[in-house]
Amino acid sequence: MKVDIFIRTYSGDIEMLQYCLKSIEKFCSGFRDIVITIPAKDRHLLGYNPKYKVFTVPHYQDDYLGQQVSKLQAYHFSQDSDFILYIDS
């Protein structure tokens, strides 16, 4: 069974995302990929880490709606996973 962890983040969550990722690494196992989506304008804030699959998504004026759209489209980023676990940073 393939299970991916899906996180939609943005510039306001970058600090908390770092804690979230450390927590996942420390306490979680059995997941295939950690998929992170972030608006293209904020991508530079993440840096590069080969442990994670990072995808840019469009920026929405109302990013609350933008993160809802990203979560509804998570299957595009985890195409062959059996399940997706959604978490917030």
Side-chain angles (χ1 to χ4, degrees):
M1 177 174 23
K2 296 176 273 189
V3 180
D4 288 347
I5 296 176
F6 182 87
I7 304 169
R8 169 45 157 89
T9 195
Y10 77 113
S11 61
D13 282 347
I14 294 299
E15 184 177 350
M16 293 305 297
L17 176 65
Q18 302 311 313
Y19 292 111
C20 176
L21 294 172
K22 287 179 184 179
S23 181
I24 290 169
E25 289 179 23
K26 185 174 181 177
F27 297 109
C28 299
S29 63
F31 293 95
R32 182 183 64 167
D33 289 320
I34 298 173
V35 178
I36 302 170
T37 58
I38 188 168
K41 70 177 190 66
D42 297 333
R43 174 60 180 96
H44 67 282
L45 299 172
L46 280 183
Y48 173 76
N49 189 327
K51 294 181 191 176
Y52 314 120
K53 289 186 172 183
V54 178
F55 297 93
T56 58
V57 294
H59 169 73
Y60 289 83
Q61 184 109 17
D62 180 348
D63 202 54
Y64 178 75
L65 294 176
Q67 60 98 12
Q68 296 296 319
V69 171
S70 296
K71 290 175 181 177
L72 288 170
Q73 296 177 344
Y75 66 94
H76 289 295
F77 307 107
S78 295
Q79 291 182 349
D80 64 342
S81 66
D82 297 313
F83 296 97
I84 298 172
L85 171 68
Y86 298 88
I87 62 172
D88 288 326
S89 49

